[in-house]
Amino acid sequence: MLKIENLHTTVGGHEILKGLSLDVPAGEVHAIMGPNGSGKSTLSYTVAGRDGYAASEGAVMLEGTNILGLAPDVRAAKGLFLSFQHPMEIPGVQTMTFIRTALNAQRRARGEAEVSAADFIRLIREKAKLVGLDDAKLKRPFNVGFSGGEKKRMEMLQLAIFEPRFAIMDETDSGLDIDALKMVGDVVNALRGPERGFLIITHYQRLLHYIKPDRVHVLAGGRIVKSGAAGLAAELEKSGYEQFIEAA
Amino acid sequence: MVEATYKEGIDKATVAATASLETYKYGFTTDVQSAKPPKGLNEDTVRYISAKKEEPDWLLEWRLVAFRRWLTMEEPTWAMVDYPQIDYQDAYYYSEPASGAKYESIDDVPPEILADFEKLGIPLREAEVLLGVEGAAASAAEARMGEASNADGGGRKVAVDAVFDSVSVATTFKNELAKAGVIFLSFSEAVREHPDLVRKYLGTVVPTSDNFFATLNSAVFSDGTFVYVPEGVKCPMELSTYFRINEANTGQFERTLIIVAPGAYVSYLEGCTAPMRDENQLHAAVVELIIEDDAEIKYSTVQNWYPGDKDGKGGIYNFVTKRADCRGVNAKVSWTQVETGSAITWKYPSCILRGDNSQGEFYSIAITNNHQQADTGTKMIHLGKNTRSRIISKGISAGKSNSTYRGLVSVHRKADNVRNFTQCDSLLIGNECGAHTIPYVEAKNPSAILEHEATTSRLSEDQLFYCRQRGLSEEDAVALLVNGFCKDVLQKLPMEFAVEAQKLVSVSLEGSVG
């Protein structure tokens, strides 16, 4: 589903990703763990197409299409979703308006009909309940003045509404309490299915108690240095990343 | 988008240029035979205009006094705008359709002019809603989805005075308004039909000696709008004037005079466009508002004069004097402006808060792109006790443009308990534009409480990327972020025009990123 081949990315003159390869087949959830500075955020930005994070080499195949070189909004319309580590605030734009504008932009790009205002209100209310956001938040400017936890809930709300083909979750667990972690697990588990893939980027294994990954990869020095089954996460928690930093 | 059906009678090159740019969709010209005095400006020009308008002697004399005064004045240079010396002798000061300037009914208006306004979406037949904002009520309600919406279901009537170059070609709903006692006429008609009212109020807010451009206007003003709302009357519909410059090398000098008697209310909107031309054209208007006891005027402007091309060639010089005089106690005025057009904007809608407890408000969005320059702001002159004013200014600069907020808050010695709140926010898009905030404060009464907040920010790459990851194209993302930035002001516009203004904000910034 998402196949990354020999990806190299240079940011501000420094090569951060140095030949990263990874294959997440449809229907699977993979986790990437790694120490600070190993290139986790660079990976998510490169795949999503942020300015300044262009790959110098390699390919990122989403359902058989190389998406490198496509505009970020085109990648989004193809079904790529990135849950941000630090979600943005958008002053003056109501949450409902923002999400509906985005949803309909994606749908238009795919040649699908737009969602009507009435249908959208029903949809967002239902999903907001799922992620634990009350209706009053939906009427406020997008993320403005929200707590860190609320912003992450807002990311999960968008995940639940957009129903992307492939979602990258960049440190979604950071700053979340146990109830919120469980909510993230519930949302992701409900969306798991044979047609969808997830890549969960994290420092810690605690989110992985709620979302059981099919594979765990260790990212260090801009490459995947070890891959294994779900048990690898617990092993890392015990032994730390140091061995891999040296190896890289 | 310019459609192929516009081709007849219109300069094809202009249509093609507009279509290719898609950023200024009002840039077409209309072929109308016009009658003009010789180029240049002297006493004969002033007499020509006055005679064309069949004006009484006092008004000719008033113009001549202004003209003689103007000859002694110097063009102001303090604004942060830069343009070549204007040759005032190299322009026409009056232009009317050759078929004459007076139309008894809409059927007498030349079809080319009717078609021109139709293209602009301005209905000169008394249609129910403005064509240009078709469906606006519905989409505005949608845009405000989930918020308390005061939508009353569209179909609201808007009366229009349409000014084509120097002449008002049609004024709609005159009779219906007259039943309510509201006088809504072109300025020329008002001079003929209500000379005493015009004489009583003309020049009492902006005197003929006021400033270089206002004095020039006083000498050569051609047409404009006159509104009188009698005591206790809430004007039953929105009033609007639509200004269109069509002729080349012609200045437009309109004069608007609005009087609201005690306890009366009116909401008024002006819109403006001009063809795309390579030379600069001067637009020097004067607007005078007079507000009596317990009366209120809500004055909105959507200024979309041709801004020049992306290299800074052509465009309108918009040098305008607008002032409101709150003469009565509890008088209230609000200026709301969305300034997206013109090569240069020089404009400071002001409030004289003379009556005790009177209130002045100024809400402004000024967008500059490419080589546009805007020096705009307001003056709040607090003369009465307990007077209050509020200023919210949003400046957006993109391309190589420059935007300046220049504002004065002045509190006079006898004005006790004055309150002012000023907020000036600037948003920069790209690295080659500039934003400046120049607030002046003069407080001569120690009881005044004046607050000023100012911010300057750059359109954030993080926000842009976030929006694009969610599926918005670059232009849609910029439009969304900028509309969010301007929301406080957009909300102040009458609903029909808020939607148009939002679109205009998006269109003005096309091509500003990347």
Side-chain angles (χ1 to χ4, degrees):
Chain A
M1 166 149 259
L2 185 80
K3 193 167 185 199
I4 301 173
E5 292 161 0
N6 188 33
L7 189 63
H8 289 257
T9 303
T10 299
V11 182
H14 299 281
E15 187 172 58
I16 309 293
L17 299 183
K18 302 170 180 172
L20 185 147
S21 296
L22 183 69
D23 186 5
V24 186
E28 294 195 3
V29 175
H30 287 205
I32 285 195
M33 303 182 71
N36 291 326
S38 57
K40 298 196 299 293
S41 287
T42 300
L43 173 62
S44 59
Y45 286 158
T46 306
V47 174
R50 182 168 189 155
D51 272 356
Y53 291 81
S56 54
E57 218 183 312
V60 175
M61 311 295 289
L62 177 64
E63 297 191 288
T65 309
N66 188 357
I67 58 171
L68 292 182
L70 298 180
D73 43 307
V74 177
R75 299 184 198 200
K78 285 186 176 298
L80 181 74
F81 178 83
L82 171 61
S83 172
F84 282 66
Q85 187 184 351
H86 303 292
M88 287 296 119
E89 298 185 358
I90 305 189
V93 180
Q94 201 189 58
T95 297
M96 288 213 249
T97 307
F98 176 73
I99 298 178
R100 179 161 167 253
T101 305
L103 176 65
N104 281 335
Q106 292 183 23
R107 292 183 65 93
R108 266 199 314 277
R110 290 195 290 261
E112 297 166 6
E114 296 191 12
V115 177
S116 73
D119 287 345
F120 180 76
I121 289 175
R122 270 193 293 279
L123 176 69
I124 196 170
R125 290 212 169 121
E126 175 202 324
K127 302 296 185 190
K129 211 167 285 169
L130 204 68
V131 302
L133 284 170
D134 59 54
D135 284 2
K137 288 275 188 308
L138 305 179
K139 292 173 187 168
R140 289 189 22 199
F142 186 79
N143 273 343
V144 175
F146 289 12
S147 71
E150 286 167 340
K151 287 178 181 172
K152 292 293 172 76
R153 286 178 194 271
M154 201 56 88
E155 297 294 283
M156 289 303 102
L157 175 64
Q158 293 172 80
L159 175 67
I161 287 173
F162 297 152
E163 298 189 331
R165 309 283 296 172
F166 195 92
I168 300 172
M169 300 179 43
D170 190 357
E171 300 199 20
T172 301
D173 52 341
S174 65
L176 291 191
D177 59 27
I178 303 221
D179 290 344
L181 279 176
K182 184 173 176 304
M183 175 278 299
V184 171
D186 290 345
V187 171
V188 171
N189 290 329
L191 285 171
R192 273 176 102 148
E195 297 300 315
R196 191 169 284 125
F198 287 91
L199 186 62
I200 293 168
I201 297 176
T202 181
H203 279 297
Y204 309 106
Q205 65 154 344
R206 52 183 201 158
L207 181 59
L208 306 180
H209 294 314
Y210 301 94
I211 307 169
K212 194 169 153 36
D214 296 292
R215 300 279 292 167
V216 174
H217 309 274
V218 179
L219 174 62
R223 283 188 204 94
I224 301 297
V225 293
K226 190 175 168 85
S227 298
L232 178 58
E235 206 178 296
L236 284 169
E237 197 104 314
K238 251 179 264 163
S239 55
Y241 292 117
E242 205 158 326
Q243 49 179 322
F244 300 110
I245 294 172
E246 282 160 14
Chain B
M1 196 81 79
V2 175
E3 286 166 24
T5 50
Y6 291 180
K7 277 179 191 161
E8 270 172 52
I10 302 164
D11 180 330
K12 280 185 181 147
T14 306
V15 172
T18 312
S20 69
L21 275 174
E22 283 190 6
T23 50
Y24 192 74
K25 62 174 178 174
Y26 307 107
F28 55 84
T29 55
T30 297
D31 255 338
V32 178
Q33 291 301 311
S34 63
K36 288 177 290 204
K39 242 185 194 181
L41 180 55
N42 53 47
E43 287 204 7
D44 287 341
T45 321
V46 177
R47 290 176 196 280
Y48 176 96
I49 295 169
S50 189
K52 272 282 174 192
K53 302 279 179 192
E54 298 170 19
E55 287 176 354
D57 290 344
W58 67 263
L59 191 49
L60 172 62
E61 194 49 40
W62 193 84
R63 287 174 178 275
L64 288 170
V65 166
F67 179 71
R68 288 165 198 147
R69 176 97 187 193
W70 181 74
L71 290 175
T72 69
M73 296 169 90
E74 279 184 30
E75 199 170 325
T77 54
W78 44 261
M80 205 176 280
V81 294
D82 186 28
Y83 55 94
Q85 186 78 40
I86 298 172
D87 181 354
Y88 290 91
Q89 298 305 329
D90 188 32
Y92 295 101
Y93 287 82
Y94 185 82
S95 167
E96 65 173 36
S99 53
K102 272 188 287 179
Y103 307 107
E104 292 305 321
S105 89
I106 192 81
D107 299 321
D108 301 337
V109 178
E112 309 89 89
I113 294 179
L114 284 180
D116 185 285
F117 279 100
E118 197 171 298
K119 254 178 281 164
L120 296 165
I122 308 301
L124 300 189
R125 297 181 187 276
E126 297 187 352
E128 285 288 301
V129 242
L130 276 188
L131 296 176
V133 290
E134 215 170 1
S139 46
E142 204 174 273
R144 293 174 189 189
M145 173 182 63
E147 290 175 10
S149 169
N150 57 359
D152 56 8
R156 292 206 328 208
K157 287 176 186 170
V158 177
V160 179
D161 179 20
V163 178
F164 191 83
D165 290 328
S166 309
V167 173
S168 168
V169 292
T171 310
T172 64
F173 292 112
K174 271 186 291 194
N175 296 335
E176 195 169 331
L177 287 164
K179 275 183 218 151
V182 175
I183 302 172
F184 177 55
L185 293 172
S186 76
F187 205 92
S188 309
E189 284 173 302
V191 169
R192 287 194 295 269
E193 295 179 23
H194 301 278
D196 296 342
L197 273 179
V198 174
R199 192 171 186 178
K200 182 175 172 191
Y201 292 105
L202 180 66
T204 62
V205 185
V206 180
T208 53
S209 57
D210 194 80
N211 71 71
F212 184 83
F213 297 112
T215 304
L216 173 62
N217 172 288
S218 300
V220 299
F221 76 86
S222 40
D223 220 327
T225 306
F226 178 84
V227 178
Y228 182 86
V229 188
E231 186 159 353
V233 171
K234 183 175 189 299
C235 187
M237 63 182 89
E238 303 262 347
L239 304 184
S240 70
T241 303
Y242 194 88
F243 295 102
R244 174 75 177 165
I245 299 178
N246 188 59
E247 271 300 300
N249 286 312
T250 302
Q252 192 177 52
F253 305 92
E254 86 270 5
R255 190 110 195 167
T256 300
L257 178 56
I258 302 178
I259 301 124
V260 285
Y265 167 85
V266 68
S267 169
Y268 176 90
L269 182 125
E270 58 167 25
C272 25
T273 60
M276 297 164 69
R277 295 190 186 280
D278 284 348
E279 80 274 11
N280 297 107
Q281 281 176 283
L282 180 61
H283 173 256
V286 171
V287 175
E288 297 179 277
L289 309 184
I290 292 150
I291 307 111
E292 307 274 18
D293 292 353
D294 303 301
E296 179 176 355
I297 297 181
K298 187 172 158 54
Y299 192 106
S300 311
T301 303
V302 176
Q303 188 264 104
N304 188 22
W305 293 118
Y306 177 53
D309 71 9
K310 64 178 174 28
D311 300 316
K313 193 167 186 196
I316 302 291
Y317 291 165
N318 190 38
F319 300 157
V320 170
T321 304
K322 295 184 168 182
R323 197 172 298 152
D325 190 355
C326 287
R327 291 190 181 165
V329 295
N330 303 317
K332 192 174 171 195
V333 64
S334 74
W335 297 102
T336 304
Q337 59 172 28
V338 179
E339 304 280 314
T340 62
S342 295
I344 301 177
T345 299
W346 179 99
K347 180 182 167 187
Y348 314 90
S350 305
C351 303
I352 300 170
L353 303 170
R354 195 187 305 275
D356 289 347
N357 311 323
S358 59
Q359 289 179 47
E361 294 171 346
F362 174 75
Y363 302 106
S364 170
I365 297 169
I367 299 181
T368 52
N369 196 359
N370 299 319
H371 290 263
Q372 282 176 273
Q373 306 172 57
D375 193 306
T376 184
T378 185
K379 291 181 198 169
M380 294 291 175
I381 314 292
H382 292 264
L383 303 176
K385 293 181 175 61
N386 307 316
T387 49
R388 281 174 288 162
S389 61
R390 184 176 169 83
I391 299 169
I392 297 183
S393 161
K394 305 275 181 179
I396 298 113
S397 319
K400 295 182 170 145
S401 71
N402 256 298
S403 177
T404 301
Y405 168 82
R406 187 186 302 274
L408 168 69
V409 177
S410 167
V411 181
H412 284 240
R413 203 165 42 82
K414 290 179 179 166
D416 295 327
N417 304 316
V418 163
R419 297 284 312 247
N420 163 264
F421 174 76
T422 300
Q423 183 184 334
C424 297
D425 297 322
S426 304
L427 184 68
L428 302 170
I429 302 176
N431 297 317
E432 292 178 275
C433 54
H436 317 272
T437 300
I438 308 176
Y440 302 87
V441 174
E442 298 167 0
K444 292 184 183 147
N445 183 309
S447 66
I449 300 176
L450 312 177
E451 292 173 77
H452 181 94
E453 292 176 8
T455 64
T456 301
S457 51
R458 199 171 287 283
L459 192 73
S460 137
E461 264 188 48
D462 289 329
Q463 283 177 326
L464 262 183
F465 174 60
Y466 188 87
C467 294
R468 298 200 66 192
Q469 206 299 308
R470 294 305 185 242
L472 299 180
S473 68
E474 183 160 72
E475 280 172 359
D476 287 350
V478 170
L480 181 98
L481 293 170
V482 171
N483 272 305
F485 174 77
C486 300
K487 191 181 180 208
D488 298 349
V489 175
L490 287 171
Q491 278 180 329
K492 300 292 176 187
L493 285 170
M495 192 175 64
E496 291 88 338
F497 302 103
V499 175
E500 284 291 283
Q502 272 184 27
K503 282 188 211 149
L504 198 52
V505 166
S506 316
V507 168
S508 308
L509 289 168
E510 272 176 20
S512 62
V513 183

